[in-house]
């Protein structure tokens, strides 16, 4: 019903592509995945930071979990 990718670089764990199948949204799947990822990170003494890029749809979840926005990413397609 959901998926996420996480990988560690140095003391930072990156969380990427957290997503939920539309029929399973608003059922706690994404939150469950994040809790699992964060629990696993706590088990590794070498992880001191967790970073991610939130979509507008996911921002509320991450804020509820204690993450703070540090900036905004903007992309420009077909820039010449």
């Amino acid at each position: 019903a959901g998926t996420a990718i996480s990988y560690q670089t140095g003391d930072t764990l990156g969380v990427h592509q957290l997503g939920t199948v539309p029929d399973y949204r608003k059922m706690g799947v994404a939150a469950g995945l994040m809790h699992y990822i964060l629990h696993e990170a706590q088990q590794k003494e070498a992880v001191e930071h967790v970073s991610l890029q939130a979509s507008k749809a996911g921002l509320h979840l991450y804020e509820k979990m204690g993450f703070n926005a540090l900036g905004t990413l903007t992309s420009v397609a077909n820039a010449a």
Side-chain angles (χ1 to χ4, degrees):
T3 186
I5 297 170
S6 65
Y7 61 88
Q8 184 175 346
T9 303
D11 64 354
T12 301
L13 183 74
V15 180
H16 304 276
Q17 298 177 342
L18 177 69
T20 305
V21 175
D23 288 346
Y24 292 90
R25 292 185 181 151
K26 305 292 185 191
M27 299 175 79
V29 174
L33 286 168
M34 277 301 295
H35 284 294
Y36 177 79
I37 290 169
L38 295 175
H39 173 77
E40 291 297 308
Q42 288 175 342
Q43 303 305 309
K44 298 180 180 183
E45 294 179 13
V47 174
E48 294 187 24
H49 310 281
V50 178
S51 70
L52 55 87
Q53 295 174 6
S55 65
K56 288 180 183 179
L59 185 58
H60 181 68
L61 168 67
Y62 303 125
E63 289 176 337
K64 283 189 347 185
M65 298 184 88
F67 286 87
N68 298 309
L70 299 178
T72 302
L73 294 176
T74 305
S75 64
V76 178
N78 299 323

